Amino acid sequence: MSEQHAPRSLIVTFYGAYGRAAPGPVAVAELVRLLAPVGVDAPSVRSSVSRLKRRGLLVPARTSGGAAGYELSAEARQLLDDGDRRIYPAAGGHRDGGWVLAVFSVPEAERNKRHVLRSRLAGLGFGTAAPGVWIAPARLHDETRHTLERLGLTAYVDLFRGEHLGFTPTAEAVARWWDLSAIAKEHEAFLDRHGPVLRAWHARPDTPPEQAYRDYLLALDTWRHLPYVDPGLPPELLPAYWPGTRSAEVFQGLHDRLHRAGSEFVLRG
């Protein structure tokens, strides 16, 4: 089954995987070269870069050789740093227990902000405990705070940390707060697409840099959205044989096998 990858998403994925390590701005011509293996042509690279610039994620800058290029804004670096703790399972950091609650109230006259607030909390992986009360694992507190501050929404939200004391068993409550079936389907789709890729790499002795780069960037572009759909609930609260465990293992396997070789292609210049 084919999989669609938006050029803008692939550019963000590139910067997250390799661009932050660059010693300076990445030239536009170099971005064109680096996006070609994943099927993005030069006009799409340039138009996507322009959109990312308008969103404040990329900043125009000259390379050391004087060529036109782009580097990440401070906001984009914060977004990518927050994302690392989710995206890379082996570097996920401390998984403390408990929950963070976001309780919000937005005046009717500003209901557009209510929509933005709901969509951003959902995008961070929050579930809905009750109207105006959203819930997520406690470790997402810092990223949630960064997001609300960046969007200027802190005046409408109170954040709390705590534990679930009843009356419904927590595993049953979790199944009400999140659509676990829909989340499981996302993991299964990742496994169907990228599990065979990992098996194919395990079957070969060599790791050609350009092929490694291509397969890794496509896998990462798919995977990096999953930890926002799935907030990483404790295993004891999830159904048996949860596919998220296997999809994380497949991504980690691809990262271990391909990331370093992919960097050789990036540095080739």
Side-chain angles (χ1 to χ4, degrees), residues 126-247:
F126 275 71
T128 309
V133 181
W134 292 58
I135 188 167
R139 72 177 184 283
L140 302 186
H141 164 264
D142 288 345
E143 186 177 1
T144 302
R145 178 176 290 277
H146 294 158
T147 299
L148 296 176
E149 289 173 344
R150 186 172 63 252
L151 296 173
L153 295 172
T154 56
Y156 307 98
V157 186
D158 285 301
L159 297 179
F160 301 87
R161 290 186 65 165
E163 57 182 315
H164 182 240
L165 299 176
F167 293 90
T168 305
T170 305
E172 293 181 23
V174 159
R176 187 175 70 242
W177 299 335
W178 282 275
D179 187 344
L180 296 180
S181 295
I183 295 171
K185 287 179 181 177
E186 296 280 349
H187 284 295
E188 288 162 357
F190 180 85
L191 287 165
D192 288 345
R193 174 64 184 86
H194 298 284
V197 176
L198 179 60
R199 290 192 292 273
W201 280 105
H202 281 330
R204 59 186 299 177
D206 59 336
T207 313
E210 183 172 351
Q211 292 179 35
Y213 169 84
R214 176 189 179 279
D215 285 354
Y216 180 70
L217 206 67
L218 292 175
L220 177 58
D221 193 58
T222 304
W223 170 259
R224 71 181 180 88
H225 301 285
L226 268 175
Y228 289 89
V229 176
D230 180 346
L233 299 168
E236 63 271 17
L237 300 180
L238 293 168
Y241 308 109
W242 180 245
T245 304
R246 288 179 283 124
S247 66

Side-chain angles (χ1 to χ4, degrees), residues 19 40 43 65 75 78-79 87 92 130 180 184 190 215 234 244 257 269:
V40 182
E75 175 186 339
Q78 180 69 72
L79 285 167
I87 292 167
L180 296 180
F190 180 85
D215 285 354
R257 178 65 187 269

Side-chain angles (χ1 to χ4, degrees), residues 5-8 10-11 28-49 51:
H5 294 266
R8 269 181 291 174
L10 285 165
I11 291 171
V28 175
E30 185 67 358
L31 284 173
V32 170
R33 178 184 77 86
L34 291 166
L35 273 296
V38 290
V40 182
D41 60 23
S44 297
V45 170
R46 293 189 173 90
S47 64
S48 297
V49 164
R51 292 188 183 98

